[in-house]
Amino acid sequence: MAATRKTFTLLGLNDDFQMDVFKVIAAILHLGNVKIKAASEEKSSVSLEDEHLNIFCDLLSIDASNMACWLCNRKLVTATETVVKPMTKVQAGNARDALAKHVYAHLFDYIVKEINKALKFHGKQHTFIGVLDIYGFETFDINSFEQFCINYANEKLQQQFNMHVFKLEQEEYMKEDIPWTLIDFYDNQPVIDLIEAKMGILDLLDEECLLPQGTDENWLQKLYNNFLGKSTLFEKPRMSNRAFIVQHFADKVQYECDGFLEKNRDTLYEELIKLVKTSKFHLLANFFQDDETPMFPSNSTIKVKPARPGVKPTNKQLRMTVGSKFRGSLYLLMETLNATTPHYVRCIKPNDDKLPFEYDCKRVDQQLRACGVLETIRISAQSYPSRWTYIEFYSRYRILMTQQELSLNEKKQICKIVLQRLIQDPNQYQFGRTKIFFRAGQVAYLEKVRSDRLRAACIIIQKNVRCWIQRKKYLRFRNAAIIIQQYVRGQRAVRQAVSAAALKQTWGAIVIQRHARGFLVRRLYQLILVATVTVQAFTRGYFARKKFRRMLQEHKATILQKHARAWLARRRFQSIRRVVLNIQLSYRVQQLQKKLEDQNKQNHGLLERLTTLASTHSADTDKLHKLESECEKSVAQKKKTEEQLKKLKEENDQTITKLQKQNVDLVEQKQELEKNLHCKTVEMEEKMNELTRQVLGDLEKEEEQRKTLENSLQFQREDYEAKIKAMREEIRSLKEENKQLKQDVQNGAQVNDGFKREVEELSKQAKVIPQLKREISLLETQRKDIEKQMQEQVHDMRAKMTEVTKQLLRGLQTEDLRQRLSPEELQQLNEDGEVWFAYEGLKKATRVLEVHYQAQRESYENEIETLNLKTEHLSQEIGHLQALFKEENNTKHSIKEELARLTKENMDLEEQVDMKEKTIKKLQDQVNSLTKSIEKAKQEQAPPVPKVYIGMLEYKPEDEPKLTKNLILDLKPRGVVVNLIPGLPANILFMCVRYADHLNDAGRLKSLMNSTINAIKQVIKTHHTDFEMMSFWLSNTSHFLNCLKQYSGEEEFMKYNSVQQNKNCLKNFDLSEYRQILSDLAIRIYHQFLNVMERQLQPMIVSGMLEQESLQGMSSMKPTGFRKRSSSIEDLNSYTISSILHQLDFFHNTMCQHGMDQELIKQTVKQLFYLIGAITLNNLFLRKDMCSCRKGMQIRCNISYVEEWLQEKSLQNSAVKETMEPLSQAAWLLQVNKTTEEDAKEICNQCSSLSSVQIVKILNSYTPIDDFEKRVAPSFVRKVQSMLQSREDGSQLLMDTNYQFQVTFPFTPSPHTLETIQVPSSLKLGFLTRI
């Protein structure tokens, strides 16, 4: 404890933190000691006087009574009520342990987080060193879930060790062509696949945990069924049925299955979490505030509503199993190990008793073999542990090479020569392709030789440096000695030369020199003084005269300046006026240029639309030719079928006439027999009393006659039955021919559908033609207006220029200027020729302007001529297209009439076949009635009672696999959906469920529901990439779920039913749990369904929305500076917006054919449109060449096409447009002006769906394509940033393409009653009988 506290304080963690941690640890220990008593078999309790419970609640500030209650109870929430269910002692103990483990896990994460904060390095981290202490392989007498997880981790780590030590080492030798004998080693990948692969041990364990009634025995039975006899690594023990054996890398381990499910679930109930959240202990409350965040980002965007609206969604974090968490953490660990360079330290236990000086050889050998150490020893003995590349070896050991060796050009050859010279034994090294491999000790030898060479070189350098230092010191001492000797010798010479007489003479000479020099200086001073006075007098007079002259000049200059400045002011006014006129003219010219550019853009758009119309028209004509050829073929086939039908009609008429004749004969015979019987009975009544003796003889005769009649009738009956069989065979052949006719009609209907689609597209294009005419007329009127404006402006400019020149000339020729200026001033003004230069400059300016305007006028006239030609060409093409549309409409009308006639004839044939079947049935009934009338002479025949069905399908338990196979596993959506009603498989399954409910057989109902759910899962798993299969079973699963709700007997669903439907409700069982399972299954199918659609649609989005241009002509406007991002191959596989729309049509049509609910279709379309907008916007952010005004027009056009598709499918009110709002705002932002402050305000107001980071990114990435566009100024971007600071949006630039909206399955009751549903023979369900 003291060491722990010391460590905490060393890390900067205060005493409050330490006390909080110790309080939580103590509370966990006390919680584990809480005693739970069993009140009964299904109930348990905790005493409020329990000392450990009270201490736990006091430490964590939790209510003890609530904790005692919710440790032994749990809450179940249903649609109508909330039920508190007691738990058994074992369940309560598991809940207590789960809470303790959960709190301890949060505490551990919190401590690690705080320690990381304390140890955090603020600089940039490049590398790190990690130490991993693995679990170690475990095998005990009783092994459970903990040992299984530990051994699974050891398998993964052992595989990584094998990969690093064995595989990579030997692969490198083989790659470098080093002679090497391969060493066999055990690869444990099959064991890892057995544990973690799909449908492996962990997957089966998680699947069993999801079932509400899953047990360890069921899970073990699934393991036996899946792996026993199929995998050599999985075995069943001989003496136990509750265990399994796994062959691990080290040894076989037997695991007991008891407790696997409960330990894997580690269930923590929501009531305990809510109770802990109410704790006043801040640390504990903070633990569980962040518990709702999901663990994996893929599940973060899925918010699912269950089938019942009243049930709250469970916490996804708590539903994760321990196995999945362990597998995820192990996966992250393996990623870290694979990204680093590992080094291994293997610890070997000498004995199991932990005794000193004891060495168990067998145990050590077992550990060495289990860890793979013996193989590593073999590799290290035979391998080359040290290796250098040729460049590294050359740079490292260049010091050992001679000058002759360095003179060679190839470094690889130099390395070989040096090694042969340094190492005499060639077996100690090998030369590879790119590396040199050394055995153990050789690199150390080379390092020793290198260090010796470096040491000798260092000694030589030290010798020379020391010599230079000593010589420098010697020279410094020598120079100092010479200087000292010089001064000493000078002092000695001075002392010898100086005496008293010499000193007196020198002093006298100095005095004479002083007086002579003073005299000379005074005389020179007097001369300079006289000269300076005279110079000053002359200079002062000169300066006074000069000042007087300057004053006169300044007085005259002021007079000149007054007049000159007045003239200059007038000239400046006239020049400013001229400049203002020029500016106005240039501004107006720019406006006209912009208008012309806008008209050019509109003309380009019209041209592109016309080209697209022409291309579509050519494609349509090709399709029409193909369809005409197909129609001719179908007409020929129709003629053949008509001839066959005529023959069949004649044969059927003949057979009907024959049967009618036979029927008439039989009726006559019947009447004769009835007359005879009546006569005989009358005679018998009259002669009854008289002829009693003759009765016996008459009776005998009558019996003989009756026998003969019966024999004759039997012969006739056999003949009739033979004829009926022949008729049946003929009817079967007619039915087959009718089926062929139906198929032909269906093919014709499909062709008709294609015609209809093409007609719709052509009608849409025809609707666009009047708009194009209007736009062309508008362009012509605008062109005429522009011409008029240009002419008027040119006349105005010429008039203004003439007026300016006249005014200037008049101003120059006026006599006022001559009167105001004197002749001298006029001469001064005209000295430099300023007036003449000004006049010539005005002339040149007027000429330049005239030339410029003439050039502009010529260019405008040329553009107007081209526009006229284009409009004439467009009008011709429009007329041609109208003629083609009329021809296509006529041909389509004729095709429709032929198809209608074929369908009518097919219906007539079907009616005739039905009539024949009815006549045959009538004949059979008459034959049966005749036989009965003969047997029963005077008894009247009772009328047949029609059957009344109750909406159930009877089946036998042994037919349940057939039902799932024929109805779910082998059922194909194509060919079935066209003829059947939507959701027919779901209705058939529910009718079988009703039968099991009617029998009150819980086992049969449970097996049927489980088999159907498992079969649907299997179909989804096998066909997880098939779009039609996913759509078909998503529709049927939702229909089956709606049937369970509609006939559940609950009032909220019964109010939508009819009276007859309410009679068919379930009476004995509540299937709410299976409804929950089905809703989860439907959600799973929905997400797989979305993934399939996203995979098919995602490659088309960037090419269709951004790169390919539906507005033709944009590609020619791209700047030359941008490099195209596609190759020649890309053009072959490129997608357009039409391909995206065709794909969406395919999705929508298949969903509608499968009878999917409209709300569900709207949700899927909304998700697809969000994907389109997110991917397009992200690519727009990342590609700078896409951020231009014209690309914004392109995106806006594509969005309009998509919105038109929504209107065609009547999906415009399904909130789909909101998903495309960020993309449309980005396109608007690329097109809008970006200069003034008002533009910035408008951008901030309009771009509400874009974040501030996204808006700034688009503004910074905006690149103009031509000279008329301008880059966005940085000041404007800063202005927009300052306006967007008040927004509280995130800093994320890219949109989340994996985001998924919340899915809801609406309840839509079926309008079909169960009594009217019939099972078609094509489903091969003859073993089902309607009740």
Side-chain angles (χ1 to χ4, degrees):
M1 179 68 75
T4 304
R5 294 197 65 184
K6 184 178 179 182
T7 306
F8 279 154
T9 53
L10 183 63
L11 291 171
L13 304 175
N14 55 15
D15 295 336
D16 295 334
F17 169 80
Q18 296 177 20
M19 288 305 297
D20 292 341
V21 170
F22 294 143
K23 282 173 71 176
V24 175
I25 293 171
I28 292 169
L29 295 175
H30 283 289
L31 179 61
N33 294 330
V34 172
K35 293 182 179 180
I36 299 172
K37 299 178 181 178
S40 63
E41 292 182 356
E42 296 181 355
K43 293 183 179 180
S44 60
S45 63
V46 176
S47 177
L48 292 174
E49 297 178 356
D50 193 340
E51 182 181 0
H52 298 288
L53 178 65
N54 292 323
I55 294 171
F56 169 75
C57 295
D58 290 338
L59 288 172
L60 300 182
S61 301
I62 300 173
D63 189 8
S65 60
N66 289 330
M67 180 58 69
C69 175
W70 294 115
L71 279 175
C72 301
N73 298 293
R74 58 176 296 192
K75 187 185 291 184
L76 297 176
V77 181
T78 62
T80 56
E81 60 181 356
T82 302
V83 180
V84 178
K85 182 181 177 181
M87 294 189 292
T88 62
K89 182 180 179 181
V90 177
Q91 292 176 350
N94 292 330
R96 178 198 62 192
D97 297 340
L99 179 61
K101 288 187 281 186
H102 209 63
V103 174
Y104 185 77
H106 278 291
L107 178 64
F108 182 79
D109 293 337
Y110 176 67
I111 293 172
V112 171
K113 183 179 178 182
E114 294 296 326
I115 291 172
N116 288 333
K117 281 184 182 178
L119 297 175
K120 186 177 180 181
F121 176 66
H122 296 288
K124 189 174 181 181
Q125 297 179 357
H126 298 281
T127 56
F128 72 96
I129 298 173
V131 179
L132 173 64
D133 184 9
I134 64 173
Y135 298 102
F137 186 79
E138 289 188 359
T139 174
F140 302 116
D141 294 335
I142 297 173
N143 300 296
S144 186
F145 182 69
E146 295 84 359
Q147 285 74 34
F148 181 77
C149 292
I150 291 169
N151 293 335
Y152 167 47
N154 283 322
E155 291 288 348
K156 295 288 286 185
L157 293 170
Q158 185 64 39
Q159 185 190 31
Q160 203 274 342
F161 175 75
N162 291 340
M163 288 290 293
H164 182 73
V165 174
F166 301 117
K167 285 186 179 179
L168 299 178
E169 189 80 15
Q170 298 189 80
E171 285 176 0
E172 187 172 5
Y173 292 153
M174 300 299 290
K175 190 189 297 182
E176 294 290 334
D177 293 337
I178 301 298
W180 177 258
T181 57
L182 295 175
I183 296 174
D184 295 332
F185 60 90
Y186 178 73
D187 190 5
N188 60 344
Q189 184 62 40
V191 183
I192 295 171
D193 292 338
L194 176 66
I195 295 171
E196 70 175 7
K198 288 186 177 179
M199 299 304 292
I201 295 175
L202 287 177
D203 278 354
L204 292 174
L205 182 61
D206 293 339
E207 183 180 358
E208 191 68 25
C209 289
L210 291 175
L211 298 176
Q213 296 179 356
T215 58
D216 295 329
E217 291 81 4
N218 293 335
W219 172 64
L220 186 62
Q221 190 62 37
K222 288 182 181 179
L223 293 181
Y224 289 161
N225 294 332
N226 289 336
F227 304 120
L228 193 62
K230 299 177 183 178
S231 176
T232 58
L233 302 173
F234 184 87
E235 297 178 5
K236 179 182 178 182
R238 295 180 180 178
M239 304 301 293
S240 176
N241 290 326
R242 299 182 62 81
F244 62 94
I245 298 172
V246 177
Q247 177 66 49
H248 286 287
F249 179 81
D251 198 0
K252 291 183 179 180
V253 181
Q254 179 175 341
Y255 298 101
E256 301 293 332
C257 71
D258 295 332
F260 260 75
L261 259 68
E262 190 61 38
K263 291 176 182 177
N264 189 34
R265 285 172 181 159
D266 195 15
T267 307
L268 180 62
Y269 298 108
E270 192 173 358
E271 291 78 16
L272 292 173
I273 294 175
K274 290 180 179 179
L275 184 60
V276 173
K277 284 182 180 179
T278 59
S279 173
K280 296 179 182 178
F281 186 43
H282 65 92
L283 182 61
L284 186 66
N286 291 331
F287 285 168
F288 289 88
Q289 291 300 324
D290 299 331
D291 197 30
E292 297 179 357
T293 58
M295 200 169 177
F296 297 102
S298 61
N299 295 330
S300 62
T301 59
I302 301 171
K303 296 180 181 178
V304 181
K305 286 188 178 179
R308 294 192 176 188
V311 181
K312 295 182 180 179
T314 56
N315 195 345
K316 296 291 181 185
Q317 176 71 20
L318 302 177
R319 290 179 62 184
M320 286 193 63
T321 59
V322 176
S324 60
K325 292 180 183 177
F326 187 81
R327 182 165 47 185
S329 62
L330 185 59
Y331 176 74
L332 295 175
L333 174 62
M334 297 310 298
E335 279 190 346
T336 305
L337 289 176
N338 291 327
T340 55
T341 304
H343 300 274
Y344 298 93
V345 177
R346 292 292 186 181
C347 299
I348 306 299
K349 293 169 63 176
N351 57 66
D352 293 333
D353 298 330
K354 299 181 181 179
L355 296 174
F357 306 107
E358 290 291 335
Y359 189 77
D360 190 355
C361 297
K362 292 182 179 180
R363 184 62 174 162
V364 171
D365 181 68
Q366 183 182 4
Q367 293 179 43
L368 292 173
R369 293 184 186 278
C371 296
V373 176
L374 296 179
E375 285 80 359
T376 57
I377 293 170
R378 289 170 60 192
I379 284 182
S380 63
Q382 299 179 11
S383 65
Y384 301 91
S386 302
R387 60 205 67 178
W388 293 87
T389 62
Y390 288 102
I391 296 172
E392 291 173 352
F393 183 84
Y394 180 81
S395 61
R396 179 72 178 172
Y397 300 108
R398 187 177 181 181
I399 194 170
L400 301 178
M401 300 174 187
T402 61
Q403 293 295 328
Q404 185 179 1
E405 292 170 349
L406 290 172
S407 63
L408 298 175
N409 293 326
E410 294 185 0
K411 294 181 180 180
K412 190 173 182 179
Q413 189 66 27
I414 294 170
C415 296
K416 289 182 180 180
I417 294 169
V418 170
L419 277 175
Q420 290 174 0
R421 179 171 56 82
L422 294 175
I423 301 173
Q424 301 298 326
D425 189 1
N427 293 325
Q428 298 299 320
Y429 58 89
Q430 289 288 340
F431 295 103
R433 291 182 178 179
T434 59
K435 295 179 182 179
I436 305 171
F437 294 84
F438 298 95
R439 292 194 183 275
Q442 299 305 312
V443 174
Y445 169 71
L446 292 174
E447 288 293 326
K448 180 179 178 300
V449 174
R450 181 175 178 273
S451 63
D452 292 340
R453 179 67 61 85
L454 289 173
R455 184 179 179 82
C458 288
I459 290 170
I460 293 169
I461 292 168
Q462 287 176 356
K463 178 184 71 175
N464 292 324
V465 168
R466 287 171 182 170
C467 175
W468 177 76
I469 290 169
Q470 293 297 327
R471 178 169 176 76
K472 191 174 180 182
K473 189 176 181 180
Y474 164 73
L475 290 173
R476 189 170 61 251
F477 287 163
R478 183 172 176 275
N479 291 329
I482 290 169
I483 291 167
I484 292 168
Q485 288 175 0
Q486 180 183 358
Y487 281 103
V488 170
R489 288 169 182 167
Q491 288 293 329
R492 187 182 297 171
V494 167
R495 287 177 183 174
Q496 291 177 0
V498 173
S499 62
L503 289 173
K504 288 179 180 180
Q505 290 176 0
T506 55
W507 180 254
I510 290 167
V511 172
I512 292 166
Q513 289 175 357
R514 181 180 64 187
H515 290 287
R517 288 172 181 168
F519 171 75
L520 293 172
V521 169
R522 280 192 297 274
R523 192 171 64 179
L524 182 62
Y525 169 72
Q526 289 173 359
L527 291 172
I528 291 170
L529 181 63
V530 172
T532 52
V533 170
T534 56
V535 170
Q536 284 178 355
F538 282 104
T539 53
R540 285 171 182 169
Y542 171 74
F543 281 118
R545 289 188 296 274
K546 190 175 180 180
K547 185 176 180 182
F548 175 72
R549 291 192 195 98
R550 188 170 67 247
M551 288 172 69
L552 287 174
Q553 289 175 357
E554 287 176 357
H555 180 67
K556 293 177 180 180
T558 52
I559 295 169
L560 292 173
Q561 286 174 357
K562 178 177 69 174
H563 297 286
R565 284 171 182 170
W567 179 79
L568 290 172
R570 285 192 297 274
R571 191 174 69 174
R572 190 181 299 112
F573 168 72
Q574 292 172 358
S575 63
I576 291 168
R577 183 178 168 188
R578 189 165 55 250
V579 169
V580 169
L581 291 172
N582 290 328
I583 291 168
Q584 289 177 353
L585 289 172
S586 63
Y587 178 70
R588 290 172 183 172
V589 169
Q590 287 179 359
Q591 285 184 342
L592 291 173
Q593 287 178 353
K594 286 183 180 179
K595 288 182 180 179
L596 287 172
E597 288 173 2
D598 295 333
Q599 289 179 357
N600 289 327
K601 290 178 182 178
Q602 293 177 359
N603 291 329
H604 285 302
L606 292 172
L607 285 172
E608 289 163 2
R609 289 185 182 177
L610 287 172
T611 51
T612 52
L613 286 172
S615 61
T616 53
H617 171 67
S618 62
D620 292 336
T621 52
D622 295 333
K623 289 182 181 177
L624 283 172
H625 290 305
K626 291 181 182 177
L627 291 171
E628 285 175 357
S629 61
E630 290 177 358
C631 285
E632 290 175 357
K633 292 180 182 177
S634 62
V635 168
Q637 290 179 359
K638 184 174 74 62
K639 289 180 180 179
K640 291 181 182 179
T641 53
E642 285 177 354
E643 293 176 357
Q644 292 177 0
L645 285 171
K646 285 180 181 179
K647 292 179 181 179
L648 290 172
K649 283 180 183 179
E650 293 175 356
E651 292 176 357
N652 288 326
D653 292 333
Q654 292 176 2
T655 53
I656 287 164
T657 53
K658 289 179 182 179
L659 290 170
Q660 286 177 355
K661 289 179 181 179
Q662 291 176 1
N663 191 8
V664 170
D665 295 334
L666 289 171
V667 170
E668 290 177 355
Q669 289 177 5
K670 179 184 176 184
Q671 290 177 359
E672 289 177 359
L673 288 171
E674 286 179 353
K675 288 179 182 179
N676 293 327
L677 287 170
H678 184 67
C679 294
K680 286 178 182 180
T681 51
V682 171
E683 289 176 357
M684 288 294 291
E685 286 178 355
E686 290 177 353
K687 298 179 181 181
M688 191 72 178
N689 296 322
E690 297 177 359
L691 301 173
T692 53
R693 294 177 182 179
Q694 296 178 359
V695 168
L696 295 171
D698 293 331
L699 288 172
E700 289 176 358
K701 291 178 181 179
E702 287 177 1
E703 284 177 359
E704 289 175 358
Q705 290 176 359
R706 185 174 59 80
K707 287 179 181 178
T708 55
L709 287 171
E710 285 177 358
N711 291 326
S712 64
L713 287 171
Q714 284 179 358
F715 289 127
Q716 290 178 359
R717 185 178 180 181
E718 289 175 356
D719 294 333
Y720 288 142
E721 286 177 353
K723 291 179 181 179
I724 287 164
K725 287 181 180 178
M727 291 293 291
R728 284 178 179 173
E729 290 176 355
E730 290 178 356
I731 288 164
R732 286 177 185 173
S733 62
L734 288 172
K735 285 183 178 178
E736 290 176 354
E737 291 176 355
N738 192 9
K739 285 181 181 178
Q740 292 179 358
L741 288 172
K742 285 182 180 179
Q743 290 178 358
D744 295 333
V745 170
Q746 286 177 1
N747 294 325
Q750 290 177 358
V751 173
N752 193 10
D753 292 335
F755 277 125
K756 286 180 181 178
R757 290 175 185 172
E758 291 173 358
V759 167
E760 288 176 358
E761 290 178 357
L762 290 171
S763 62
K764 289 178 185 176
Q765 294 174 0
K767 290 177 183 178
V768 177
I769 289 167
Q771 295 179 359
L772 293 173
K773 288 182 178 179
R774 291 173 189 171
E775 290 176 357
I776 289 164
S777 62
L778 289 172
L779 285 171
E780 289 177 355
T781 54
Q782 288 177 1
R783 180 178 61 78
K784 292 177 181 178
D785 294 335
I786 289 165
E787 287 178 356
K788 290 179 181 178
Q789 290 177 2
M790 286 291 294
Q791 290 176 0
E792 290 176 358
Q793 288 179 359
V794 168
H795 288 305
D796 293 336
M797 286 295 294
R798 287 179 178 175
K800 288 178 180 178
M801 289 300 295
T802 54
E803 287 177 1
V804 169
T805 53
K806 287 178 181 180
Q807 288 176 3
L808 290 170
L809 292 170
R810 287 173 186 172
L812 291 170
Q813 291 174 2
T814 54
E815 295 179 357
D816 296 333
L817 183 62
R818 292 178 180 178
Q819 292 176 1
R820 281 183 286 174
L821 295 175
S822 62
E824 295 176 357
E825 291 175 350
L826 285 172
Q827 289 179 1
Q828 289 178 0
L829 288 171
N830 289 320
E831 282 177 357
D832 298 328
E834 291 178 354
V835 176
W836 180 252
F837 284 126
Y839 180 71
E840 286 184 350
L842 286 171
K843 280 185 177 181
K844 290 180 181 179
T846 53
R847 289 173 185 171
V848 169
L849 288 172
E850 285 179 357
V851 171
H852 179 67
Y853 284 123
Q854 286 177 1
Q856 283 188 348
R857 184 180 178 182
E858 289 176 357
S859 64
Y860 290 152
E861 287 176 353
N862 293 325
E863 288 179 358
I864 289 162
E865 288 177 358
T866 54
L867 287 172
N868 289 325
L869 293 172
K870 287 179 181 178
T871 51
E872 290 176 358
H873 181 67
L874 288 172
S875 61
Q876 292 175 1
E877 286 184 350
I878 288 164
H880 183 62
L881 286 172
Q882 287 177 353
L884 290 173
F885 288 152
K886 288 180 181 179
E887 292 177 359
E888 288 174 356
N889 289 324
N890 293 326
T891 55
K892 288 175 182 176
H893 185 67
S894 62
I895 290 165
K896 285 181 180 178
E897 289 178 353
E898 288 180 358
L899 287 172
R901 189 168 59 80
L902 286 172
T903 52
K904 286 181 181 178
E905 289 178 358
N906 192 10
M907 293 296 290
D908 295 333
L909 289 172
E910 287 180 353
E911 289 177 359
Q912 290 177 4
V913 171
D914 291 333
M915 291 295 291
K916 288 178 181 179
E917 288 179 355
K918 289 179 180 178
T919 54
I920 290 166
K921 287 182 180 178
K922 285 181 181 179
L923 291 171
Q924 289 178 354
D925 293 334
Q926 288 178 2
V927 170
N928 292 326
S929 65
L930 285 171
T931 54
K932 289 180 181 179
S933 65
I934 292 167
E935 291 176 357
K936 299 177 182 180
K938 293 183 179 181
Q939 294 179 357
E940 295 180 355
Q941 187 176 0
V945 179
K947 291 184 179 180
V948 178
Y949 296 102
I950 59 175
M952 295 183 193
L953 289 176
E954 182 181 1
Y955 71 97
K956 297 179 182 179
E958 57 268 16
D959 293 334
E960 188 175 311
K962 286 186 192 177
L963 178 64
T964 56
K965 183 180 179 183
N966 295 333
L967 192 60
I968 299 174
L969 297 175
D970 296 340
L971 188 62
K972 295 180 180 179
R974 286 195 176 182
V976 179
V977 181
V978 178
N979 298 323
L980 302 181
I981 62 171
L984 181 63
N987 289 319
I988 293 171
L989 289 172
F990 182 72
M991 291 168 74
C992 296
V993 169
R994 278 202 65 222
Y995 177 70
D997 178 75
H998 177 69
L999 295 178
N1000 198 6
D1001 191 352
R1004 181 180 288 190
L1005 182 64
K1006 183 178 178 181
S1007 64
L1008 178 62
M1009 293 297 292
N1010 290 330
S1011 62
T1012 54
I1013 291 168
N1014 291 327
I1016 293 171
K1017 287 182 179 178
Q1018 186 176 355
V1019 168
I1020 297 306
K1021 185 177 181 181
T1022 53
H1023 301 282
H1024 63 279
T1025 58
D1026 191 354
F1027 168 74
E1028 293 184 358
M1029 189 68 75
M1030 300 295 288
S1031 173
F1032 180 73
W1033 280 111
L1034 178 60
S1035 175
N1036 280 285
T1037 306
S1038 63
H1039 279 295
F1040 190 39
L1041 184 60
N1042 288 329
C1043 288
L1044 292 177
K1045 291 179 182 179
Q1046 185 177 359
Y1047 298 104
S1048 63
E1050 298 178 5
E1051 293 181 358
E1052 59 179 347
F1053 302 127
M1054 289 176 67
K1055 62 185 179 181
Y1056 301 105
N1057 296 340
S1058 62
V1059 178
Q1060 186 63 31
Q1061 286 178 340
N1062 286 328
K1063 292 180 182 178
N1064 296 331
C1065 293
L1066 300 175
K1067 297 179 180 179
N1068 296 319
F1069 296 103
D1070 183 13
L1071 301 179
S1072 58
E1073 293 183 358
Y1074 286 103
R1075 279 179 6 213
Q1076 183 65 37
I1077 294 170
L1078 278 172
S1079 65
D1080 294 338
L1081 180 60
I1083 291 163
R1084 176 182 170 186
I1085 298 170
Y1086 173 76
H1087 291 305
Q1088 290 184 4
F1089 178 60
L1090 286 179
N1091 290 331
V1092 172
M1093 289 193 291
E1094 287 176 358
R1095 281 194 220 105
Q1096 294 181 8
L1097 189 62
Q1098 197 166 3
M1100 306 179 184
I1101 293 172
V1102 178
S1103 178
M1105 294 295 290
L1106 285 177
E1107 294 176 355
Q1108 292 295 329
E1109 294 163 351
S1110 59
L1111 292 174
Q1112 295 183 3
M1114 289 295 178
S1115 60
S1116 62
M1117 299 178 187
K1118 289 183 180 178
T1120 57
F1122 293 127
R1123 180 173 58 86
K1124 191 174 180 182
R1125 294 196 177 190
S1126 61
S1127 62
S1128 61
I1129 302 171
E1130 186 181 356
D1131 296 335
L1132 300 175
N1133 298 323
S1134 61
Y1135 299 99
T1136 60
I1137 187 66
S1138 60
S1139 59
I1140 295 173
L1141 295 178
H1142 288 317
Q1143 190 68 30
L1144 291 174
D1145 280 331
F1146 171 68
F1147 290 157
H1148 187 267
N1149 292 331
T1150 51
M1151 287 189 286
C1152 292
Q1153 286 178 1
H1154 295 158
M1156 194 177 293
D1157 191 77
Q1158 285 297 321
E1159 291 296 327
L1160 199 57
I1161 291 174
K1162 290 179 181 179
Q1163 293 180 28
T1164 55
V1165 172
K1166 182 180 178 181
Q1167 188 66 44
L1168 291 177
F1169 272 62
Y1170 172 77
L1171 179 70
I1172 292 170
I1175 291 176
T1176 307
L1177 196 59
N1178 290 343
N1179 280 273
L1180 186 65
F1181 291 148
L1182 297 176
R1183 294 179 64 174
K1184 193 175 181 181
D1185 57 340
M1186 294 295 172
C1187 294
S1188 64
C1189 179
R1190 291 197 173 96
K1191 189 56 68 176
M1193 294 169 62
Q1194 182 69 46
I1195 295 168
R1196 186 61 240 171
C1197 179
N1198 292 333
I1199 292 171
S1200 66
Y1201 289 151
V1202 174
E1203 290 176 353
E1204 287 178 1
W1205 182 86
L1206 287 174
Q1207 290 179 357
E1208 288 177 4
K1209 306 299 180 184
S1210 65
L1211 296 172
Q1212 63 271 16
N1213 297 323
S1214 59
V1216 178
K1217 290 184 180 179
E1218 296 176 358
T1219 59
M1220 299 291 287
E1221 191 64 26
L1223 182 60
S1224 62
Q1225 289 182 6
W1228 176 84
L1229 182 58
L1230 291 174
Q1231 292 177 292
V1232 77
N1233 291 328
K1234 295 174 275 293
T1235 53
T1236 62
E1237 187 173 359
E1238 294 178 356
D1239 295 336
K1241 290 180 181 178
E1242 188 178 3
I1243 287 169
C1244 295
N1245 293 327
Q1246 293 292 331
C1247 299
S1248 58
S1249 298
L1250 295 174
S1251 64
S1252 58
V1253 179
Q1254 293 172 347
I1255 294 170
V1256 173
K1257 177 64 176 177
I1258 292 173
L1259 293 176
N1260 287 327
S1261 301
Y1262 183 80
T1263 54
I1265 291 180
D1266 50 17
D1267 297 333
F1268 298 106
E1269 299 180 14
K1270 294 182 180 179
R1271 286 190 176 273
V1272 182
S1275 60
F1276 182 79
V1277 177
R1278 288 193 294 271
K1279 192 182 296 181
V1280 173
Q1281 279 182 331
S1282 63
M1283 291 181 181
L1284 293 173
Q1285 284 180 357
S1286 60
R1287 284 194 185 180
E1288 294 181 356
D1289 50 4
S1291 60
Q1292 188 175 2
L1293 175 63
L1294 300 179
M1295 295 181 69
D1296 187 7
T1297 56
N1298 294 323
Y1299 176 75
Q1300 291 183 352
F1301 294 101
Q1302 182 179 358
V1303 60
T1304 56
F1305 289 94
F1307 171 66
T1308 54
S1310 176
H1312 305 285
T1313 57
L1314 299 177
E1315 292 84 359
T1316 59
I1317 295 173
Q1318 296 181 0
V1319 181
S1321 60
S1322 60
L1323 296 179
K1324 300 178 182 179
L1325 298 175
F1327 52 87
L1328 297 178
T1329 57
R1330 294 175 68 192
I1331 299 175

